[in-house]
Amino acid sequence: PDMQNLGIDEGEEIAATGPGGRPRLGIELTKYLGLMNEPLSGEWRVGDGSIALRSQVWGRWAPDPDHRQSHHHEDGELLWASNDWLDGALARLNKQLIFVVTLHKYKSSRSYNPSNGAKSVLVGLRLNDRSLRLWPAKKASKVDY
């Protein structure tokens, strides 16, 4: 259990890799956007104290369905942004939010299972009216970031 309040989120099992992958902002970007972040906190606040961004991670050890005695990590991370704060920050920076969604279905490791792996990459754009546009990426990068 997290006795020293190390910043591990609720639902995070000990020794899962989630907390190490917590999304963070750089010092210069934090100053430029006028955000404040307490040490070991996953929240960034603006001058009036309202939350602008929140970083969240989770993870657990799960049994491997292909190998009875093995386990693997199921981890994830999110960087949540307040819609109002994001609207103002993007307008100040004269930018739009572009994001990538990658979906994987891995090939089974069992020799008798003929299923193939699959990968789909979608590119998204958040418009000024907060609506989203998605389209499939024609040539997905072979490099994982």
Side-chain angles (χ1 to χ4, degrees):
D2 184 12
M3 301 299 223
Q4 286 78 34
N5 191 16
L6 299 175
I8 299 174
D9 295 345
E10 187 176 336
E12 170 62 32
E13 291 182 12
I14 295 175
T17 60
R22 178 182 298 281
R24 295 174 177 88
L25 295 180
I27 295 170
E28 289 181 24
L29 183 60
T30 301
K31 285 181 183 177
Y32 183 77
L33 295 173
L35 298 172
M36 296 169 286
N37 177 252
E38 296 294 323
L40 302 176
S41 171
E43 295 179 349
W44 288 265
R45 297 181 181 271
V46 292
D48 67 1
S50 62
I51 294 177
L53 297 166
R54 177 178 289 139
S55 175
Q56 183 181 12
V57 295
W58 65 90
R60 71 182 184 112
W61 286 94
D64 188 336
D66 292 337
H67 300 95
R68 195 179 304 170
Q69 307 231 340
S70 306
H71 286 74
H72 65 276
H73 290 278
E74 287 183 351
D75 304 332
E77 65 269 348
L78 288 173
L79 183 59
W80 297 96
S82 158
N83 278 320
D84 293 334
W85 175 83
L86 185 59
D87 289 342
L90 291 173
R92 274 195 315 273
L93 297 168
N94 194 24
K95 304 285 182 189
Q96 289 186 308
L97 181 65
I98 298 172
F99 56 94
V100 176
V101 177
T102 304
L103 304 170
H104 290 274
K105 179 180 183 242
Y106 294 104
K107 183 177 179 179
S108 174
S109 63
R110 296 182 181 197
S111 60
Y112 58 83
N113 188 342
S115 67
N116 293 328
K119 178 179 178 181
S120 175
V121 179
L122 302 170
V123 176
L125 174 66
R126 181 182 183 266
L127 301 173
N128 292 337
D129 64 358
R130 295 185 182 172
S131 63
L132 301 176
R133 287 189 52 208
L134 289 170
W135 59 92
K138 296 211 184 237
K139 293 185 179 180
S141 172
K142 295 190 187 307
V143 179
D144 288 331
Y145 297 99

